[in-house]
Amino acid sequence: QVQLEESGGGLVQPGGSLRLSCTGSGFTFNNTFGSYGMSWHRQSPGKERELVASISGRGSSTTYRDSVRGRFTVSRDNAKNTVYLQMNSLQPEDTAVYYCKAIRGAATIYWGQGTQVTVSS
């Protein structure tokens, strides 16, 4: 019953900013949002899906792929069952469908439907 839904995508000019949100539903007292590590992935036409950033369940640890480090920031608000991806200094190469992913332990995985980010002048 767990579902993830991304939002916040759109069209921006190079150098612009965008904040993506991923909100989870279907979490319970015994299966909390905070028990899941979250990550953002993106996929461009003709390319494989790639990891963009990740954040641990309590938000204490984050990772970024080299090409976005310093420009993107991943954060989460477990009280709102939401993970964010703040994207600054966007470039055309960042154009992709962005997906959020939840993983618990090493087996339970959920994906959102994706949101389109287009960076173009």
Side-chain angles (χ1 to χ4, degrees):
Q1 293 187 335
V2 170
Q3 293 184 316
L4 304 175
E5 183 174 0
E6 301 94 337
S7 62
L11 173 64
V12 296
Q13 295 185 337
S17 297
L18 207 60
R19 188 179 78 157
L20 305 183
S21 298
C22 174
T23 299
S25 62
F27 294 95
T28 68
F29 181 80
N30 295 122
N31 184 33
T32 64
F33 181 80
S35 69
Y36 288 79
M38 300 293 298
S39 58
W40 287 95
H41 304 248
R42 66 187 182 188
Q43 187 166 25
S44 301
K47 295 185 177 181
E48 295 184 15
R49 189 171 299 184
E50 62 183 21
L51 174 67
V52 177
S54 65
I55 185 167
S56 59
R58 294 185 175 182
S60 58
S61 179
T62 59
T63 66
Y64 301 91
R65 72 179 299 109
D66 289 344
S67 62
V68 309
R69 188 175 296 109
R71 299 188 297 121
F72 290 11
T73 302
V74 62
S75 62
R76 68 191 297 162
D77 185 344
N78 288 343
K80 296 182 178 180
N81 288 176
T82 300
V83 174
Y84 306 94
L85 184 66
Q86 178 67 47
M87 304 184 293
N88 299 325
S89 301
L90 284 163
Q91 300 300 313
E93 308 86 76
D94 297 315
T95 295
V97 177
Y98 284 70
Y99 301 87
C100 67
K101 173 186 176 182
I103 181 168
R104 183 177 184 178
T108 305
I109 300 174
Y110 302 97
W111 288 90
Q113 83 289 346
T115 185
Q116 177 71 50
V117 171
T118 302
V119 185
S120 176
S121 59

